[in-house]
Amino acid sequence: MAADARVLGWLTRALQHEMTALQQYLAQSVLARLTGHTELAERLRHEALEELAHAERLMQRLIELGVAPAAGAVPPARLGRGVADFPTLNRQLEQTAVVLYQDAADHARRVRDADSEALLRALAAEEAAHYGAWSQTG
Ligand SMILES: [Fe+2]
Ligand SMILES: [Fe+2]
């Protein structure tokens, strides 16, 4: 099927988000480890790997649609003033992701790209779970 240009745009924006999230969680994990928060460091590293898996799924969809993944520029990781700020920063990150995926999935539905829509809805649900987890943290 011929790929819808805006679906490709949404998938690319989503990939940029995932690379941003991967960098943020990995950087926070390093900072947590360096400041002696070993358990938090492990949790953040696990989060980073989940975002990496999301990036991989988006890359697969882009490649299926005939496009080479290009995440573009990734903004700096948000570290705040240290580990106490991480829950707030990460809730913001995940909230952004949920809105992005819902809007992207709505577009995929409008152009009847069912496979992209299914992927985007699944990722929206997983980001909502991430948001919920950070909401219980502080
Ligand atoms: Fe993600
Ligand atoms: Fe996430």
Side-chain angles (χ1 to χ4, degrees):
M1 106 190 188
D4 176 79
R6 286 184 62 200
V7 166
L8 295 176
W10 279 113
L11 291 168
T12 295
R13 235 180 104 188
L15 179 59
Q16 181 181 39
H17 162 80
E18 296 299 344
M19 301 304 277
T20 300
L22 166 65
Q23 174 175 261
Q24 179 155 317
Y25 284 131
L26 204 52
Q28 289 182 357
S29 173
V30 169
L31 180 58
R33 179 169 49 78
L34 289 174
T35 54
H37 300 86
T38 311
E39 210 170 295
L40 178 62
E42 270 312 302
R43 177 186 169 186
L44 286 160
R45 195 166 187 284
H46 177 79
E47 296 286 338
L49 294 177
E50 285 194 11
E51 308 298 7
L52 175 69
H54 289 176
E56 187 175 26
R57 285 155 74 186
L58 291 163
M59 286 188 190
Q60 179 177 326
R61 187 65 190 138
L62 283 161
I63 288 167
E64 285 169 353
L65 294 172
V67 174
V74 172
R78 299 183 70 194
L79 302 174
R81 294 181 187 172
V83 298
D85 287 343
F86 290 178
T88 302
L89 295 169
N90 296 338
R91 272 197 302 276
Q92 290 169 2
L93 179 79
E94 299 296 349
Q95 173 73 38
T96 302
V98 170
V99 172
L100 186 158
Y101 279 118
Q102 286 171 345
D103 289 347
D106 288 347
H107 178 75
R109 180 194 294 260
R110 279 194 293 276
V111 299
R112 301 183 201 292
D113 181 345
D115 288 344
S116 293
E117 186 191 353
L119 170 63
L120 294 162
R121 297 249 181 249
L123 291 171
E126 290 180 32
E127 306 300 8
H130 288 170
Y131 177 88
W134 287 114
S135 298
Q136 286 162 10
T137 309

